[in-house]
Amino acid sequence: MHNQKGMPLFHITKRKALPWYGAWLIRGAAILMALVVCAVVTTALTGENPIEIYKTIWKGAFGTQRKIWILGQNIAILLCVSLAVTPAFKMHFWNVGGEGQILIGGLATAACMILLGDKLPNWLLILTMVAASCLAGAIWGAIPAFFKAKWNTNETLFTLMMNYVATQLVAFFVILWEVPKGAGKIGIINQSTEAGWLPVIGGYKYLLNILVVAVITILMHFYLSRSKHGYEIAVVGESERTARYIGIKVEKVIIRTMILSGAICGIAGLLLVGGTDHTITTTISGGRGFTAVMVSWLAKFNPLIMVFTSFLLVFLSRGASEISTSFGLNHSFGDILTGIILFFIIGSEFFISYKLSIRKSGKKEA
C-alpha cells in the first residue's frame, strides 16, 4: 500500500483491445472535434462562414464529374504507393523511398515511350513499359534491402538518399530528352502518335488506373493475410530472432519484400507517365511516397482500410485547394485546416490504444 501524494494527476494505461466499432467511434468523435476547431479557427482568422468553408471542401472533391474522376485518380495513385510500402512497413523495414521508386519507374516508362515509340507495335510497347517500370522499381527497392540484409545498414537513411539519386537521374534525362532544346522539360511524349499511351476505357481517362489499383489492392490483401510470404513478413516484423528460430531466412524475406515494394511503386510511375500525364518531371510523384507512410500507418497496414484513409487524405487535399481558389485565400490556409484535421485523426489513435485517467486525491492503491 502507498498513498498518492507526489504522484502525477493524470495516469495513462494501455487499453484492452477495443471492438472495431469502439475504435471507429473514437475516430468519428475526433473528426467532429476537428471540424469544430476548424470552424473556430476559420471564423477567427478570416471572418468567413465555416459552413461555407466546409461546403467548398465538398465542392472541391465532388463539385463536377471531372473533379470526381480526378479525385478517383488521385486516390488510386496514392493507394498504389501505400500498398507498395506496406509489406516493408509490416516487416518493420522503414521504406521511405517510395518517391524515388515511383520516379525511377516513371523514368523507365518514359524511356520506353521515347526510344521505342516508333520501333514497336503499341501492344508490345505497353508490355515493355510494364516490364521496364516494374524492373526499375524493383531494382531501386532491392539495393537498400541488400545492404540491410548483408550489413544491417539504416534503411530509413538509405531509402531516403535513393530518392535524391532518382530525382537527379530524372533531371538529367529531362534535359537530355527536352523538347524543344533549351525548354528544360520534355513536354507531352508521342503527342501525335500516342505511342505508349495506356488505353482509355469507355471514354474515361482515369478508369484504367483505378481498375488496376483495385486489382492490386485485392491481391495485396490476400498476399499479406493468406499467403506464406505474408506470414513470413508478419513473423519477421514481430521478431527477427523468432523468425530465424523457426527457420525463416530473414535476409531473403527482406530482399524479396523490398523487390515487391519497389515493383509496385514502379507501376505507380507507369500509371502516371503512361496513363495520365504522358510526360516525366522530377515532381511527378507529388510527395505521395511520404504521404503513403501516413495512409499505411493509419490503416494499421490493412490494404482494404487503406482505401478509406487514402480517400480521406486526398479529399482533404482537394478541398484545401478549392478553398484557396474560391475565397482568394493563401493556399497555406487550406493546409492549416487539413493539418488540424489530421492532428485530431492521428491523435485519436493514441486514445484507441491508451486511456487517460485522473487520479483521485486520497485514494489508496496496492
Side-chain angles (χ1 to χ4, degrees), residues 182-355:
K185 59 183 180 180
I186 294 175
I188 303 300
I189 302 172
N190 300 336
Q191 188 168 11
S192 58
T193 63
E194 297 189 0
W197 291 24
L198 298 183
V200 175
I201 299 177
Y204 298 108
K205 180 180 179 182
Y206 303 126
L207 182 56
L208 178 64
N209 287 9
I210 294 170
L211 292 176
V212 168
V213 176
V215 171
I216 293 174
T217 303
I218 295 168
L219 292 177
M220 183 60 74
H221 171 70
F222 283 103
Y223 178 79
L224 290 177
S225 62
R226 304 291 177 85
S227 72
K228 178 187 174 184
H229 287 184
Y231 168 75
E232 290 177 344
I233 288 170
V235 174
V236 171
E238 288 293 327
S239 170
E240 286 191 16
R241 182 177 296 178
T242 301
R244 287 192 170 90
Y245 179 77
I246 62 177
I248 294 174
K249 295 180 179 179
V250 174
E251 291 77 11
K252 180 181 176 182
V253 173
I254 290 173
I255 295 173
R256 182 184 68 209
T257 303
M258 277 301 293
I259 286 174
L260 176 64
S261 286
I264 298 177
C265 279
I267 291 175
L270 166 75
L271 296 177
L272 286 169
V273 175
T276 56
D277 293 13
H278 305 131
T279 189
I280 181 74
T281 67
T282 56
T283 58
I284 198 170
S285 56
R288 292 181 181 93
F290 300 112
T291 308
V293 176
M294 188 180 300
V295 170
S296 181
W297 183 80
L298 285 175
K300 303 295 185 186
F301 311 135
N302 185 320
L304 300 182
I305 297 178
M306 280 179 214
V307 176
F308 300 101
T309 52
S310 297
F311 165 80
L312 176 64
L313 294 183
V314 173
F315 172 76
L316 292 174
S317 176
R318 297 288 302 166
S321 298
E322 188 71 18
I323 288 171
S324 302
T325 303
S326 297
F327 293 96
L329 298 172
N330 188 306
H331 183 77
S332 298
F333 182 76
D335 292 337
I336 290 171
L337 297 187
T338 301
I340 291 171
I341 295 171
L342 290 178
F343 174 81
F344 274 86
I345 292 172
I346 294 171
S348 70
E349 298 300 315
F350 171 84
F351 291 99
I352 290 171
S353 301
Y354 300 91
K355 62 181 178 179

Side-chain angles (χ1 to χ4, degrees), residues 100-116 120 123-141 177 196 198 259 262-271 273-274:
Q101 291 152 26
I102 297 167
L103 283 172
I104 214 70
L107 180 62
T109 300
C112 292
M113 294 171 72
I114 293 169
L115 302 177
L116 303 175
L120 298 176
W123 66 270
L124 183 56
L125 175 59
I126 290 175
L127 288 179
T128 305
M129 288 159 50
V130 173
S133 62
C134 288
L135 180 61
I139 291 172
W140 220 248
W177 296 329
L198 298 183
I259 286 174
I264 298 177
C265 279
I267 291 175
L270 166 75
L271 296 177
V273 175

